[in-house]
Amino acid sequence: SQQGEEDPQALSIQEGENATMNCSYKTSINNLQWYRQNSGRGLVHLILIRSNEREKHSGRLRVTLDTSKKSSSLLITASRAADTASYFCATDAPGGTSYGKLTFGQGTILTVHP
Amino acid sequence: DAGITQSPRHKVTETGTPVTLRCHQTENHRYMYWYRQDPGHGLRLIHYSYGVKDTDKGEVSDGYSVSRSKTEDFLLTLESATSSQTSVYFCAISESRLSRDTQYFGPGTRLTVL
């Protein structure tokens, strides 16, 4: 079963609005990462948050982590049409950080309309 | 795509034929990974490598083998392709074994098994 699961599966908004995506996971983690995938392309790393951090910012991105609820959220502020993509959370493998193995969720498809 | 190429980018083959996908990196990163991406499953780890000739199984390794004879090349082989192996395959690289490090993804190979 998936370690990370994103919600919602699809999100459609207008340019300028904020987009919030959520990720839940099942077991304890050391780190949680968010990746973006444009259609037909590979994944691109966006941001990483460690288990001892609660919030992190990078440009228009804000990530929160609640280890007690085993959940994370990704907020994209003032969205642009270019933000249209699929967004994935990824957690390090349950049981340890051996060899950098990550487990990915199923992703949220974000569509930003001009 | 961070100095990572995958070949071929597209392949159509028939059930029972052997198929080899190649991942080539110019970053001299030690760790390399093969994932498959399917609708409803996100990305799933097939095999990974932590050095030349050092490989191990991931979550969905049945029906796949890998080899790494040089730092820059990581080959994924389907010994006898089946229709269930129709998927998009991504290679990723990482600088270290720590799960807090970013993984960089190649552009993907779309494989169709008829």
Side-chain angles (χ1 to χ4, degrees), chain A residues 19-30:
Chain A
T20 299
M21 289 158 268
N22 304 295
C23 170
S24 61
Y25 56 91
K26 296 185 175 69
T27 63
S28 63
I29 61 171
N30 292 318

Side-chain angles (χ1 to χ4, degrees), chain A residues 23-50:
Chain A
C23 170
S24 61
Y25 56 91
K26 296 185 175 69
T27 63
S28 63
I29 61 171
N30 292 318
N31 311 286
L32 186 144
Q33 304 184 38
W34 284 91
Y35 287 77
R36 183 188 73 221
Q37 182 181 34
N38 290 94
S39 181
R41 305 290 296 273
L43 278 71
V44 174
H45 180 262
L46 293 176
I47 194 167
L48 178 148
I49 187 165
R50 304 185 197 286

Side-chain angles (χ1 to χ4, degrees), chain A residues 51-106:
Chain A
S51 60
N52 62 355
E53 298 176 310
R54 292 296 167 257
E55 188 171 313
K56 200 162 183 180
H57 296 256
S58 177
R60 294 184 296 113
L61 304 180
R62 172 178 171 251
V63 171
T64 61
L65 179 64
D66 187 334
T67 53
S68 67
K69 295 182 180 178
K70 292 186 171 59
S71 67
S72 173
S73 67
L74 171 68
L75 168 67
I76 304 174
T77 60
S79 63
R80 306 165 182 168
D83 295 327
T84 294
S86 294
Y87 292 82
F88 295 87
C89 66
T91 55
D92 53 351
T97 60
S98 180
Y99 303 120
K101 290 188 290 183
L102 297 177
T103 302
F104 288 83
Q106 297 179 27

Side-chain angles (χ1 to χ4, degrees), chain B residues 3-7 22-26 32 34 70 72-74 91 93:
Chain B
I4 310 168
T5 56
Q6 293 185 231
S7 58
R22 180 184 184 230
C23 176
H24 179 78
Q25 59 142 330
T26 58
M32 300 185 75
W34 275 108
K70 298 185 291 185
E72 57 266 35
D73 289 325
F74 192 30
C91 173
I93 64 175

